[in-house]
Amino acid sequence: MAALRNLAASFCKPTSLLSRTASVLSVSARYNIVRCMSTGKYEYLLVEKKGAKENVGLITLNRPKALNALCDGLMVELADVLDDFDKDEGIGCLVLTGSTRAFAAGADIKEMQDRTFQDVAGKNFLSAWSRLAANKKPVIAAVNGHALGGGCEIAMMCDIIYAGEKAKFGQPEILLGTIPGAGGTQRLPRVVGKSLAMELVLTGTSISAADALNAGLVSKVYPVDTVVDEAIKTAEKISSNSKMIVAMCKEAVNRSYENTLQEGLLFEKKIFYGTFATNDRKEGMTAFTEKRKANFTDS
Ligand SMILES: CC(C)=CC(=O)SCCNC(=O)CCNC(=O)[C@H](O)C(C)(C)COP(=O)(O)OP(=O)(O)OC[C@H]1O[C@@H](n2cnc3c(N)ncnc32)[C@H](O)[C@@H]1OP(=O)(O)O
């Protein structure tokens, strides 16, 4: 109960509520999303703190009737929750999950079907989606069921993907007469290679969790009912490290996708040197030599 009260309080802080309302209103206005924020509850998400130290933020996509289709309102709420968790100093890592049947079946086709070129290009459709990829704190996707189209793309925006045994990954946009718009033609080939990515985006077929593991799209596969708990366990391990050093490490790995190897190695070295300006680097090495557990202060 105390945890719930804390969570509610953190989401109801006047500044947080104001900024959340402002960001929702600005994006909502562009897409004519009519939604009541006055209750402080999310319409499309469940948000909890997990782990023995409540240092893991669990975000559950909660639009079951539409298989968690990623409508504009849901993506705005997701961006909003990410902002809140980013500001929360007690949270070190996030887990993003859906239902047993679907992580997410893609962008909301019914919402998209009547949009024109002017609507999508002029109003910068999918702009709220990039918030997840830009998150400073690590995010683990715990995927069960369908992760299709935008569902596969938001899983790929996460830093680690754990899959339940029955998960399915695919980019079926071609079957709708369009192409992926949130990274399916860009992130996917970098992860699974050109041949498999081409096959998936050009045929619209999906692959199993086992094949996704083989291809390197996911790092681990678990029984369906344990994947979220396993993700939380890993998130707790990450959260027990220095948040500052974790963010630096995440940024260094992400640079490997953007840079040449030489530029990446240079960037890594600079970040590595940078850790020597922190108290946590000093504490980590001191704790090792004193044979005790490090007590990081995120400074
Ligand atoms: C990000 C960008 C730029 C693009 C995209 O993501 S485009 C979307 C890509 N995704 C897809 O094309 C997948 C669409 N969904 C399906 O193919 C199927 O729903 C399924 C294979 C995931 C599951 O099939 P199943 O027979 O088990 O279930 P359904 O009866 O088809 O679905 C249940 C319920 O959910 C609604 N639904 C499912 N996916 C979406 C979606 N992407 N957008 C909107 N609504 C979706 C589906 O219509 C049905 O609801 P109703 O019974 O009320 O119609």
Side-chain angles (χ1 to χ4, degrees):
M1 269 321 281
L4 277 176
R5 266 197 304 276
N6 288 344
L7 183 63
S10 76
F11 285 155
C12 292
K13 284 187 302 220
T15 47
S16 150
L17 193 59
L18 271 180
S19 63
R20 186 160 76 237
T21 307
S23 79
V24 167
L25 283 179
S26 63
V27 185
S28 301
R30 277 186 270 150
Y31 295 111
N32 298 321
I33 300 163
V34 181
R35 202 157 58 77
C36 176
M37 287 298 296
S38 60
T39 58
K41 283 188 184 160
Y42 292 99
E43 187 176 348
Y44 304 113
L45 305 175
L46 300 174
V47 180
E48 297 162 82
K49 288 185 182 181
K50 291 284 186 182
K53 295 185 178 159
E54 301 206 327
N55 53 9
V56 174
L58 175 65
I59 305 169
T60 305
L61 306 177
N62 186 34
R63 214 189 156 204
K65 285 187 187 151
L67 303 186
N68 291 329
L70 304 164
C71 59
D72 294 329
L74 186 154
M75 293 309 291
V76 170
E77 285 189 359
L78 180 59
D80 191 33
V81 172
L82 292 172
D83 283 347
D84 278 333
F85 275 140
D86 230 20
K87 285 181 219 133
D88 188 331
E89 291 176 3
I91 294 290
C93 187
L94 309 182
V95 173
L96 178 64
T97 194
S99 68
T100 306
R101 195 171 163 205
F103 177 70
D108 190 318
I109 300 166
K110 293 168 189 170
E111 198 175 61
M112 276 190 297
Q113 68 173 341
D114 292 328
R115 285 188 179 155
T116 63
F117 172 77
Q118 284 81 359
D119 288 335
V120 293
K123 292 178 185 165
N124 208 5
F125 176 48
L126 302 180
S127 59
W129 290 51
S130 43
R131 174 63 188 81
L132 177 59
N135 206 54
K136 276 199 177 155
K137 295 180 183 177
V139 187
I140 303 176
V143 177
N144 275 315
H146 302 286
L148 300 178
C152 186
E153 289 169 313
I154 62 164
M156 287 191 287
M157 288 178 200
C158 297
D159 302 296
I160 297 171
I161 308 178
Y162 283 0
E165 283 162 343
K166 293 185 183 156
K168 291 264 180 206
F169 297 85
Q171 298 288 161
E173 289 90 343
I174 201 85
L175 306 175
L176 301 167
T178 186
I179 73 164
T185 68
Q186 300 303 305
R187 288 195 178 90
L188 193 60
R190 283 171 165 80
V191 179
V192 303
K194 179 180 164 187
S195 176
L196 180 56
M198 276 293 189
E199 188 179 330
L200 291 176
V201 299
L202 297 183
T203 66
T205 51
S206 52
I207 54 170
S208 65
D211 287 343
L213 182 66
N214 247 344
L217 179 59
V218 310
S219 54
K220 287 188 180 134
V221 176
Y222 291 103
V224 171
D225 52 358
T226 64
V227 62
V228 175
D229 287 340
E230 293 295 341
I232 291 170
K233 276 190 220 160
T234 300
E236 281 186 279
K237 278 188 200 157
I238 293 170
S239 294
S240 71
N241 294 321
S242 160
K243 293 178 189 64
M244 184 186 275
I245 306 296
V246 163
M248 291 162 97
C249 193
K250 169 173 167 163
E251 198 183 347
V253 175
N254 279 337
R255 280 295 173 111
S256 71
Y257 284 97
E258 318 290 340
N259 282 333
T260 62
L261 179 60
Q262 282 314 313
E263 283 166 335
L265 290 170
L266 197 63
F267 183 81
E268 181 191 66
K269 200 75 88 237
K270 287 192 169 155
I271 296 278
F272 167 71
Y273 293 154
T275 65
F276 282 71
T278 68
N279 293 324
D280 284 342
R281 193 284 312 169
K282 179 94 183 137
E283 164 63 9
M285 294 191 183
T286 305
F288 176 80
T289 57
E290 291 177 358
K291 300 188 187 303
R292 61 173 174 81
K293 202 171 176 306
N295 179 24
F296 294 123
T297 53
D298 305 320
S299 61

